[in-house]
Amino acid sequence: MSEDRVRTVRAGRRTVRVHRAGKVLFPADGDLEEYTKGDLVDYYRSAAPLMLPHLRGRPLMLERHPDGLGGPRFMQKNTPESYPDWITRAEVAKEGGTVCHTVCDDSATLLYLADQAAVTLHRWLSRAGSAERPDRMVFDLDPDGDDFEAVREAASLLGGLLGELKLPSGLMTTGSRGLHVIVPLNGRHDFDEVRAFARDVADTLAGAHPDKLTTAARKAGRGDRLYLDIARNAYAQTAVAPLTVRVRPGAPVATPIAWSQLEDPALHARRWTIADAVEQARSDPWDGVMSRGRALGPARRRLETLRTS
């Protein structure tokens, strides 16, 4: 495909123009495939039905890579005036003013963002209409190096603790080095409450396994222990969206998985790419978990009982 070729892609009621569809964003690397902007658009088109429920209504931070892997990166919060008026915006408060974020409510927006080389979508944990009250809590299990076995063990321990607290959770590869554990909330707690609870959960788990896990914010204090990162649970912080592409060789994808897949020896953070992530997600690995948001009050009482027993 010629790099300069312009494609038109139908998305619902709209048609999106894809410029320079043949431009290589992910060069071939050893056994890893080459992918173009056109491939990225095709992936997001197929992923849209599974991805949009995790995006609708949420302010986004866009990670743009106009020249692909190895080129400059632009982290975009404000929506440019040049974006079509049919793309949803969300104006949210920041210190000293507001920010007008892009919101991806439909497949046409998703494909337009792909044409803008917004390869990775980072979403808020709250929705624009209730920006101060998250309906997701995220634990980020991300090793300093590429020790996925430590991540696997930490996820198993965290999943066990959340189970004791009767909090449903979903597991997701990040497409980078680690895993995210995502807990659906009912949206009635503010970020301070959610962050404090996540901190208590992490401290409890690290206290029970001090040789393996830590909540030390400074790298110098962690040693070779895995850091339980709860920092994303704060106003205006973001986490990679389910099924978004990461800018790494081979175009890996942040992919939802079932807890039973944690024991698969073939599992790693970059297990799925734009070639096969949609097939994995179609198996419904979260089995409706994200539609059952919970209050934190009962879980906090259970956690206090565990910590004092």
Side-chain angles (χ1 to χ4, degrees):
M1 181 188 297
S2 170
E3 181 180 315
D4 294 331
R5 177 182 172 186
V6 177
R7 288 174 51 194
T8 57
V9 181
R10 191 71 182 170
R13 296 179 294 107
R14 304 191 185 279
T15 298
V16 177
R17 288 170 60 85
V18 180
H19 303 84
R20 303 183 71 187
K23 183 176 180 62
V24 175
L25 298 182
F26 298 89
D29 186 354
D31 294 334
L32 300 177
E33 297 288 333
E34 171 187 283
Y35 295 108
T36 65
K37 186 197 280 190
D39 294 325
L40 180 72
V41 169
D42 289 341
Y43 165 74
Y44 275 130
R45 189 183 190 191
S46 64
L50 299 166
M51 192 174 182
L52 287 170
H54 303 292
L55 296 175
R56 286 193 180 102
R58 299 181 187 276
L60 298 177
M61 180 169 66
L62 308 177
E63 184 179 340
R64 297 179 59 193
H65 293 258
D67 293 318
L69 184 66
R73 179 182 73 161
F74 303 94
M75 303 302 288
Q76 177 179 305
K77 294 183 179 181
N78 277 296
T79 304
E81 293 182 5
S82 61
Y83 277 23
D85 58 8
W86 48 261
I87 289 181
T88 305
R89 277 86 161 162
E91 190 164 348
V92 295
K94 70 170 185 176
E95 187 175 354
T98 61
V99 179
C100 185
H101 285 267
T102 300
V103 178
C104 185
D105 283 338
D106 54 36
S107 58
T109 300
L110 187 58
L111 301 192
Y112 182 87
L113 295 178
D115 179 57
Q116 297 291 302
V119 179
T120 305
L121 307 183
H122 302 259
R123 64 172 185 166
W124 280 41
L125 303 185
S126 59
R127 299 176 189 271
S130 51
E132 300 277 357
R133 296 184 178 275
D135 62 357
R136 297 288 184 267
M137 177 170 59
V138 173
F139 296 88
D140 184 7
L141 311 179
D142 190 14
D144 284 338
D146 218 5
D147 182 6
F148 193 75
E149 289 309 307
V151 176
R152 191 196 304 267
E153 185 173 12
S156 179
L157 293 170
L158 178 57
L161 177 54
L162 292 172
E164 289 187 69
L165 301 179
K166 301 190 184 306
L167 287 175
S169 59
L171 193 60
M172 184 180 79
T173 66
T174 62
S176 180
R177 296 182 302 183
L179 295 170
H180 281 181
V181 178
I182 305 166
V183 179
L185 305 177
N186 64 4
R188 297 178 183 174
H189 308 280
D190 64 27
F191 272 106
D192 288 342
E193 293 175 273
V194 173
R195 187 183 179 95
F197 178 80
R199 169 63 65 189
D200 287 346
V201 169
D203 284 342
T204 299
L205 197 62
H209 304 278
D211 57 328
K212 300 174 182 177
L213 305 172
T214 181
T215 57
R218 293 180 177 275
K219 287 187 177 182
R222 299 176 195 169
D224 57 0
R225 297 172 295 174
L226 188 132
Y227 177 48
L228 299 173
D229 187 357
I230 56 91
R232 300 183 188 281
N233 299 289
Y235 181 80
Q237 295 299 306
T238 61
V240 292
L243 292 172
T244 200
V245 180
R246 305 306 302 273
V247 184
R248 296 181 67 108
V253 171
T255 308
I257 65 174
W259 278 99
S260 60
Q261 292 177 276
L262 189 61
E263 303 305 318
D264 182 352
L267 180 68
H268 57 85
R270 301 178 294 280
R271 166 65 179 80
W272 288 276
T273 71
I274 65 174
D276 55 7
V278 169
E279 181 181 357
Q280 157 64 17
R282 281 195 183 122
S283 68
D284 192 17
W286 286 348
D287 192 24
V289 163
M290 294 301 147
S291 64
R292 302 195 295 268
R294 299 296 178 89
L296 289 179
R300 177 166 286 287
R301 291 190 288 273
R302 294 185 186 102
L303 183 61
E304 289 300 321
T305 299
L306 284 176
R307 296 179 75 172
T308 56
S309 62

